[in-house]
Amino acid sequence: MLTRSEQLFQRQRTVRETSTLANAACIKNLHSQPKNLLHTHVEQSHWYRMMLRVEWAFLGLSPVEIGAILANIASATAPRSNYLLDTIVGYRPGCWCYEWLRYSVSLASKQQFLAAAMAASIADYPHFRQDPLRVKARPLLNSYYEEAMRAQEDVEKFEQIQVEVSGKSARGYLHLPTTTRPVPLVIVFADWSQLYPEWFALYREGLAKAGIAMLVIEFCGSHGLSDFTWQQHSVAVYQRFIELMIDSPYIMSTHIALIGYRFSVPTAVKIAQLNPDKIQKLVCLEPAVSSIFSQENSHRQLPQMVRDGLASFLGGDSSQWQYVAALLQPFSLKVQGLLKRHSWSGQLLTIYHHDSLLASKDDIKELLMMADTSEKVILKGPDFSDQLAQVTRSVVHWLKNQLSYV
């Protein structure tokens, strides 16, 4: 009988390669595609996945080890689905998931469970819905993260929160700095390109010290919400989490803020507007607002990985883009009528890159005018993901001021 480790690293040559999952045409030449979500990285043209080295290091992984893993992938000689380095066919050495899981297990063997969970999350990246390799990464991610939380001094209680909506189950991930008294809460609506451990840095870098709890809810259709599909009316599952947290003995029901990131921003805005008496603080990070959903010329600027990811979560095929584009339109905040001036009575913080592909200047202007009070932080220079330390400081500073109860 195979050991657990032998089972985990048992090679499979017939597993579909990630870049082909949401694209039946299996695009062979992507040189004409933009090289990153924001700016050109020299190395990006050689990879299907967007390379987020600075972000992964900020999450707690060694830059040296990151480089070594990418070198292993790049130097692999097994067949690839196209010329891009991270398109090794099958689950074996050189496969993205295989190499990152091997690193994850190595970290866990050294009792570095938080870093091991981060590595397992990256093994699953970019988290497409139908990727068969996710079943290898997710159990390790959950196990290592729970082990890490037991050792974290600033996490008195970590709990998987489960809700039922229309007979389907959804999970959120609650981090509490104390259980001796009710505390303010930040609810994070993650983007499809993330899993919940990737938000721990926000908690670690300031929320915990400020006595603020954090609940992370993954993207509709992602692991924690895998029973649900991403659609305009899928806000019901997020609404259920809001109701549950308001009734929680651990949470100050009058001190709840929301964070929306990229493609989760429309959901966060809609939830805030549906609950104006309960949600008065909202943070929108690198927001996808309107034009990215409704204007096809904006779609053409997106990297192929992002186009494939959107198709994956909409149940479409990115080689049939007109169909996917039609499915995207209802998510536009303008189409939904949610960008009317002063349509929400709360306080809004928006942080975005001045050269973002996800929102036009008019989008940002209308988003800011939606709230009674709004502030903005405009990033310049490196990509948004390369400035997460600055973004985190800005978010924590704003939330501490807005959620202060002393």
Side-chain angles (χ1 to χ4, degrees), residues 36-104:
N36 207 312
L37 193 57
L38 296 172
H39 297 298
T40 297
H41 284 189
V42 173
E43 70 171 349
Q44 188 60 54
S45 60
H46 303 295
W47 301 86
Y48 173 71
R49 293 165 179 82
M50 289 188 293
M51 291 292 102
L52 307 175
R53 289 179 182 244
V54 175
E55 177 175 329
W56 297 332
F58 177 70
L59 295 177
L61 300 182
S62 162
V64 174
E65 293 295 338
I66 293 170
I69 294 166
L70 297 182
N72 287 342
I73 296 170
S75 62
T77 57
R80 291 176 165 84
S81 63
N82 59 53
Y83 75 94
L84 296 170
L85 297 173
D86 54 330
T87 59
I88 292 290
V89 178
Y91 180 70
R92 51 183 159 182
C95 163
W96 180 275
C97 183
Y98 188 98
E99 295 295 340
W100 280 99
L101 282 186
R102 187 156 60 178
Y103 178 45
S104 176

Side-chain angles (χ1 to χ4, degrees), residues 111-264:
Q111 307 296 302
Q112 299 176 31
F113 290 110
L114 184 57
M118 298 298 178
S121 179
I122 297 171
D124 187 73
Y125 176 69
H127 318 307
F128 291 172
R129 288 195 70 186
Q130 65 271 50
D131 196 336
L133 295 178
R134 66 193 299 183
V135 300
K136 293 184 177 292
R138 188 61 183 219
L140 290 184
L141 183 157
N142 289 335
S143 174
Y144 294 159
Y145 194 80
E146 289 181 2
E147 190 68 36
M149 292 302 100
R150 283 192 281 270
Q152 291 291 322
E153 294 182 357
D154 48 11
V155 180
E156 183 167 321
K157 183 179 179 65
F158 170 70
E159 183 178 2
Q160 291 195 27
I161 303 296
Q162 189 158 315
V163 301
E164 299 286 335
V165 178
S166 301
K168 300 176 181 178
S169 177
R171 291 186 307 278
Y173 305 89
L174 179 63
H175 307 69
L176 289 164
T178 182
T179 57
T180 60
R181 65 182 187 279
V183 294
L185 172 68
V186 172
I187 303 179
V188 176
F189 293 174
D191 183 51
W192 62 264
S193 60
Q194 305 164 308
L195 298 180
Y196 69 91
E198 296 169 56
W199 283 94
F200 184 72
L202 176 65
Y203 182 85
R204 177 194 65 206
E205 296 297 319
L207 293 184
K209 296 180 180 64
I212 301 172
M214 180 180 74
L215 173 68
V216 182
I217 307 173
E218 292 172 317
F219 199 74
C220 216
S222 190
H223 297 286
L225 276 67
S226 59
D227 289 344
F228 298 85
T229 55
W230 183 36
Q231 53 186 326
Q232 183 185 356
H233 303 295
S234 58
V235 295
V237 64
Y238 299 91
Q239 180 70 25
R240 183 70 189 94
F241 279 110
I242 298 290
E243 295 166 355
L244 191 65
M245 289 297 97
I246 288 173
D247 293 335
S248 171
Y250 301 123
I251 302 303
M252 297 178 67
S253 61
T254 56
H255 290 66
I256 297 178
L258 302 184
I259 294 178
Y261 183 47
R262 289 183 173 162
F263 289 97
S264 73

